[in-house]
Structures are given as structure tokens and as C-alpha cells.
Amino acid sequence: MSSHQIDKVRNAGLFAMTWPIFVEQLSHILPGVVDTFMVSHLGDSAVAALAVANQIVGFCIILFSFVGIGSAVVLTHYLGAGDRAGAERVAATAVGINFWLGMVVSLAIWAFSNDMLRLLQLPPQLMPYAQPFLALMGGTLFLESINIAFGSVLRAHGHTREAMYVAIGMNVLNLILNVVLIFGLLGAPKMGVIGAALSTVISRAAACVALAWLVRRQLKLGVRLGWFVSLSRATLARILRIGLPAAGENLCWQASFMVITYFVGQMGVVQLATFSYAIQLSMIMMMLGISIGISTEIMIGHMIGAGEFDQAYRQLLRSLRVGLGVTVVTTCVVVLLAPWLLGLFSKDPAIVAGGALLLRLSLLLEPGRTFNLVVINSLRATGDARFPVLMGACSMWGVAVPLAWLLGLHFGWGLMGVWIAFTCDEWVRGLAMYARWKSRVWEKHAHAVRAHVAA
């Protein structure tokens, strides 16, 4: 990567960095939505089986993502310092470790898919749908693990649009193959649930080839056999120092969310359905915050590598102002359209009214979430990775979970109580992260990062 390209990334506008990442992030959640919608035409049993199998697949993708997160941050440090050799070493280590991690996970799921589904208490009558789907999807997850690594390498170099184009192409291919393979069109056999899995596998394989070609063409990094067999232990340690806390935070959030979902399940079927639909719509608002957080992380990582700490400090404050503004506007639009959007999912007046109330409460929830998503990524970019996960665990399990039980079940406030618990958790964490940034305690980590890459 030339010095001109590095300056271009560092000085890029936040919007120019963010919108391709937003489209890409949105594209990542679409395959599951498309698969579920297509398979719903085969019956409720098929959808239920798919949902359980996808829990295992989703957990594994979170496992792969910690290498992607850690490698992206470390890459920006080397690129900011102008160290191309160090950046290539990080890219090679990221791809290599995710390949082997993906292979181990793929083989484990392929061999023990039956046992995993039984462990999740899958009803025996759903096993004929779920087991072959999981064996095929899970048995080829190494493709997704490589894609995550390649995508992180491209984004860290500032090639956010290229990663977006690949994500869009993967979704289009998945949609076309779903229609053909699930329903047996154009002379293809009618494969049902297996067709949904096969279409996802083929589209992931195509994305893997495209990303490898882009890494070679745009970054002038030839993907060689040595990337998979010769891993730098020192580089891997730096990646894990950032990536493992990030993974811990994500897994902690998922675990607390599962417990809260269990509380909601005790409120009844209507409340559970309302909760599920409101969460799906909230994902759209959340994706904007995630995208601004990732683009800010890339920019600040380059600044830390270059030793520009004051510029990094100011960049976070600018990004946070933009993020809060975009979040408020987007949430207002979703609130205004809430009855119509919820009507696309359900015709039950109780569900539509209940979901609309939750989305109105999101006017308080989403700004707090934006504090988290933007500031946490920026702290991680400075090397300050442990504080977010420790603070997150304390707040998720000390605020969100007990407050959801207290307000939602004990006081009988139902879903409104759960949403208030989410809001309190996000604001507690968000303000704590903001105070951490304003204190500039992170600078000691940034100095250590800068000293390492300069050496």
C-alpha cells in the first residue's frame, strides 16, 4: 500500500467510508432472511428446523469474527506507520489462522451434527430437515471463515466498496440459487432445505474466490501456500490481544440476550412474536451504528499507527456527533413507518400495536447503543480492548438481565419493561465508554501500539 493510499484512507470522509460498510453489513444478514422466507413455503417444520441449525452456524461465525476484528485493528496500525511488510505479515496470519480454525470447526460439525442438534433438544420429527442442512452448511464453514479474514484485510486497507460489491453479489447469487434449488426450477432437482444450504455454500465459495482475487489485484498481495502453513506467533498474539476481548463481549451479549428472550417466552406467544419482529426492525438501525463504528475504527487505527493521537481523539468526537444525528433521524423514520412495517410481518392488531410501542421507546434506546458501537470500536483501535468487555459484562449481567426480569416479569410491565432494561444497559455502557475516551486513559495503550509498530 503506497503512502498516497494510506493518506487517502486516513483523510477519507466518514460518509465515504461508512456507506459501503453499511451495505455490506446489511448483506451479511440477508442470506438467513432469504433462506427462512424461501423455506417457509415448505412448511413450519422446515422453518423451525432451519432456525435451530442456524443457531449453531451463527455461533461459529461469531467465533471466526474475533480474528477478523483483531487483524483489522492490527493491520491499520501497521498501515498507519507505513510498514507494508508488517501489514502483509498480519494479513497472512489472519487468513491462515482463520482457515485452520474454520477447518477444525467444519470437520467437528460435519462429524457431530446429530449430537449437536440433540443437545439443543431438537424434536426427532425435525431431524430429517435439520441434520443434512447443518452437515452441509456447517461442514463448509471454512469458506466463511476465510471470507471474514479477506474482508477484514480489504476494509483495513480502505477498500470498503470492493468488500461491499462482493457481499451484494453473494446475496444475489444465493437468492437465484435458492429459487432454483429449493423448488426445482430450470430442470434442477427439487432439493428443499438441502437446496437452501447448497445455494449458500456455492455463493460463499464464489465470494471466497472473488475476495482472494481482490486482495491480489487491489493490494498486490499474492495469496500463497505459506500463508496457511507458516504463521507468525508474535503477530497472532497481537491479533488475539484485540480479537479475544471483542469475541468475549459479543458472546456475553448473545448469552444475556438468550436469557432475556427466555423471560419474554414466559410472557406468551403474542409477546414473543412482537419481540422478535421489533428486534428485526431494530437491526436496521443497529447496522448504521455498527457501520459508523467500523469506519471510525479504521480511521483511528491508521492515526494511532502514525502517532496522531490528538487527531484520533477529535475523530471519535466527530464520528459520535454524526452517528447520533443519523441514529435519531433513522429511528424517527422507523417509528413513523412502524405500523406499516409491522403489518408486513403480522396482521394481528395486538402485535402491531405492541411492536409500535417498542419502536417508539427506541428513540431513547438507539442513541445509547450508538455510544457503545462507535466508542467501543475506537477504544479497540487504540489497543484498549479489555475495558469494553469488562464493562460490558458488568452492565449486561448487572443491569440488562436483572432489570428485564424485575420490570418485565416481576412488576408485570411486559415487553415495555424489557425494552427499558435494554435502554438502561446501553446508556450505562455508552456513557462509561465515553468517559473512558474523554479521560484519555487509552493513550497509554496507544503509545505501546505505536512503539511496537515503530520498532
Side-chain angles (χ1 to χ4, degrees), residues 166-178 203:
V166 173
I168 292 174
M170 183 180 73
N171 276 274
V172 172
L173 180 59
N174 181 59
L175 175 61
I176 294 171
L177 291 175
N178 260 333
S203 60

Side-chain angles (χ1 to χ4, degrees), residues 17-32:
M17 292 285 289
T18 298
W19 77 263
I21 294 176
F22 171 70
V23 175
E24 182 197 355
Q25 294 297 313
L26 201 59
S27 297
H28 282 311
I29 67 173
L30 286 179

Side-chain angles (χ1 to χ4, degrees), residues 334-362:
V334 172
V335 168
L336 289 174
L337 298 176
W340 178 77
L341 292 171
L342 290 160
L344 296 176
F345 292 97
S346 174
K347 302 303 180 185
D348 188 330
I351 290 178
V352 173
L357 173 61
L358 297 183
L359 292 176
R360 284 195 291 273
L361 290 174
S362 293

Side-chain angles (χ1 to χ4, degrees), residues 393-407:
C394 291
S395 182
M396 292 171 202
W397 292 97
V399 176
V401 171
L403 207 56
W405 174 84
L406 182 67
L407 300 179

Side-chain angles (χ1 to χ4, degrees), residues 366-402:
E366 294 303 329
R369 199 197 309 271
T370 296
F371 265 98
N372 270 324
L373 295 171
V374 178
V375 184
I376 283 176
N377 280 28
S378 298
L379 286 172
R380 209 154 41 213
T382 68
D384 189 5
R386 292 186 180 179
F387 177 79
V389 68
L390 293 175
M391 184 63 219
C394 291
S395 182
M396 292 171 202
W397 292 97
V399 176
V401 171

